[in-house]
Amino acid sequence: MQKREIQETPLYSLKLYNFFLYGAMVIFSSFFPLYLQDIGMDKLEIGSLMAIGPFVSVFANPFWGYTSDRSRNLRRILLFMIIGTLLLLQALFHVHTYIMIYVAMIGFYFFQSPLFAQSNSLILSYIEGTDRKFGSFRIWGSFGWAVTAAVAGIVIDQTGISSISTIFTVLLLAALICTLSIPPLKSTVETATIHLRGFGSVLMNGYFISFILLGILVSIPNSINSAFMSLYITELGGSKQMLGFAVFMSSVFEIIVFLLFDRFLKKRMTVMVGCLALVSLLFALRWELMALATDPIQIVFIQALHCVTFGGYFYVGTQLTVLFTPAAYRSSGQAVYTLTWSGISGIVAGFAGGWLFQNFGGEMMYHAGVFFALLGSVGFAIMWYMLYKNGYQPGLPAGTNE
């Protein structure tokens, strides 16, 4: 009965929540490095500050994932996380020394870094047992990311980089209001009791661990690009408006990618892993083009590959995690998966990317990304062959409860 009621509910508030949440986060990920540069920090200092978030997320993602699974009220947990992000955001933009920013970012990232993973879990919870598709909700996040980046680039060019704190706050407040208006989803009586021992069995799955480790390799250059693309564009003579358009191009076509995957992607392990091998190869092409770029307008168009690379990896990886992880541990599984993009890889990206950019320039930084992406592509190709030859036999069957 509960699922039937949810299926009949339009869930516009859940779509708007994704729009505003992703809109808020693009402000931080794309323009915050420029703010740090504006207050006098060099590339290595910026990289080390941006690496704090991924380090904190290594602990924050499992904590909030496990808390969500235990509470069985993901909507309430997301409210706590958004409120915490809002409060720490105010502190972050009102301190100006390196040490104080460092401390403020630790608290900020504890609440902010798991938001995407838990938002994905929220969508998956609402569409389970219905004919709704994950992509039809997630495209609102891509839309919010693209539109906000384009508009914000123009606004920040006119008002100054300090206005990003106001824009970020307004968008987070809008996401908070939308969260409050999402209809509650009660746990069904079939929901299994959560035990650490059961999730430990998931982590002993060799294929799942291989998926996570290869994801870290592929995501290191993606995290480098997220942290330093804004500085790379300005170094080539681009404006903040140009940066906004580059981010717009990187996400607006994700909408098409998600809809196509919703319609045509076969939920088979071999198909999905094969897709990841191909996407990783496209990542290598993208970073090579970035290394060869000599004009900011070239970067704007190169970012169109983001929809196929990150968009494809994100969608397939999220669905693959569902197959690897029993329903009772879904939030925890998504939290571990998110670590490949905002955790360990981000730590490496912040320090290594900052060091490479500072000492050897952006071209060498992106050439290093080509190497990592090719390693990931080869690894996924080997994984695909093993699955094709031997089949998939997890220790704890995906989709079953302990």
Side-chain angles (χ1 to χ4, degrees):
M1 177 65 70
Q2 182 68 26
K3 287 296 180 184
R4 187 180 301 117
E5 291 173 1
I6 291 298
Q7 184 162 1
E8 292 171 356
T9 304
L11 292 179
Y12 293 129
S13 52
L14 182 56
K15 296 176 180 178
L16 288 174
Y17 161 78
N18 276 276
F19 179 92
F20 289 118
L21 178 68
Y22 279 78
M25 295 313 158
V26 73
I27 298 298
F28 185 79
S29 64
S30 299
F31 295 97
F32 188 65
L34 293 179
Y35 168 80
L36 294 176
Q37 185 180 60
D38 190 63
I39 62 176
M41 296 187 181
D42 61 32
K43 295 180 181 68
L44 189 56
E45 288 176 324
I46 293 171
S48 62
L49 280 170
M50 299 303 287
I52 297 169
F55 177 77
V56 173
S57 75
V58 171
F59 307 97
N61 269 288
F63 171 81
W64 288 109
Y66 185 71
T67 301
S68 298
D69 286 333
R70 289 285 294 182
S71 69
R72 303 181 189 175
N73 194 330
L74 184 51
R75 180 169 159 269
R76 181 185 300 166
I77 297 299
L78 279 169
L79 284 172
F80 285 138
M81 293 167 66
I82 294 173
I83 292 171
T85 301
L86 266 171
L87 294 176
L88 271 298
L89 171 69
Q90 308 314 310
L92 183 59
F93 282 97
H94 288 85
V95 294
H96 300 286
T97 65
Y98 181 86
I99 296 299
M100 291 304 295
I101 293 176
Y102 193 99
V103 172
M105 287 185 75
I106 292 175
F108 172 82
Y109 274 117
F110 177 74
F111 292 98
Q112 182 269 337
S113 58
L115 276 172
F116 285 159
Q118 299 313 306
S119 297
N120 294 339
S121 295
L122 186 70
I123 295 172
L124 291 168
S125 296
Y126 275 91
I127 66 175
E128 185 180 14
T130 74
D131 58 3
R132 288 190 169 103
K133 302 292 186 179
F134 175 77
S136 65
F137 288 87
R138 178 54 181 79
I139 59 174
W140 283 81
S142 297
F143 189 49
W145 187 281
V147 171
T148 303
V151 174
I154 299 171
V155 172
I156 293 170
D157 248 351
Q158 298 295 320
T159 60
I161 195 66
S162 60
S163 63
I164 66 173
S165 61
T166 302
I167 300 171
F168 197 175
T169 298
V170 170
L171 290 168
L172 271 182
L173 285 171
L176 180 64
I177 293 170
C178 290
T179 309
L180 290 169
S181 62
I182 297 173
L185 179 63
K186 299 177 182 178
S187 298
T188 59
V189 294
E190 292 85 5
T191 300
T193 302
I194 305 301
H195 297 293
L196 283 174
R197 179 173 57 85
F199 188 62
S201 300
V202 176
L203 294 181
M204 293 299 291
N205 183 335
Y207 282 115
F208 183 60
I209 294 302
S210 298
F211 162 63
I212 294 299
L213 294 177
L214 291 171
I216 291 172
L217 278 178
V218 176
S219 64
I220 285 174
N222 188 74
S223 297
I224 288 175
N225 183 68
S226 297
F228 297 105
M229 184 186 69
S230 57
L231 303 182
Y232 192 49
I233 286 179
T234 55
E235 196 169 85
L236 292 176
S239 64
K240 297 176 183 65
Q241 183 174 340
M242 186 77 73
L243 170 61
F245 286 135
V247 178
F248 175 84
M249 288 293 291
S250 74
S251 51
V252 67
F253 297 114
E254 278 186 357
I255 297 170
I256 300 173
V257 171
F258 288 140
L259 290 175
L260 289 174
F261 273 124
D262 268 346
R263 185 176 179 87
F264 297 110
L265 181 67
K266 296 180 180 179
K267 304 296 177 65
R268 293 207 305 264
M269 197 73 69
T270 51
V271 172
M272 291 186 177
V273 173
C275 284
L276 295 184
L278 178 59
V279 165
S280 300
L281 196 60
L282 291 174
F283 261 124
L285 172 63
R286 179 183 171 192
W287 307 138
E288 180 64 20
L289 291 173
M290 288 291 285
L292 298 176
T294 56
D295 189 282
I297 193 64
Q298 293 174 337
I299 295 178
V300 171
F301 290 109
I302 292 169
Q303 291 312 300
L305 283 172
H306 182 87
C307 67
V308 181
T309 51
F310 177 76
Y313 196 103
F314 173 87
Y315 186 101
V316 175
T318 300
Q319 300 296 325
L320 199 54
T321 302
V322 173
L323 296 183
F324 280 128
T325 312
Y329 303 93
R330 179 170 293 149
S331 291
S332 298
Q334 294 297 330
V336 173
Y337 166 58
T338 300
L339 290 180
T340 65
W341 291 100
S342 62
I344 300 169
S345 60
I347 299 171
V348 177
F351 288 107
W355 180 77
L356 285 169
F357 202 173
Q358 181 81 10
N359 293 286
F360 302 100
E363 182 179 349
M364 182 59 69
M365 179 180 70
Y366 280 107
H367 276 313
V370 175
F371 174 74
F372 280 109
L374 287 176
L375 280 181
S377 182
V378 171
F380 280 121
I382 294 172
M383 186 175 172
W384 172 86
Y385 177 75
M386 294 178 65
L387 284 166
Y388 177 78
K389 183 178 180 180
N390 303 319
Y392 177 65
Q393 296 178 338
L396 188 62
T400 62
N401 295 327
E402 186 191 16

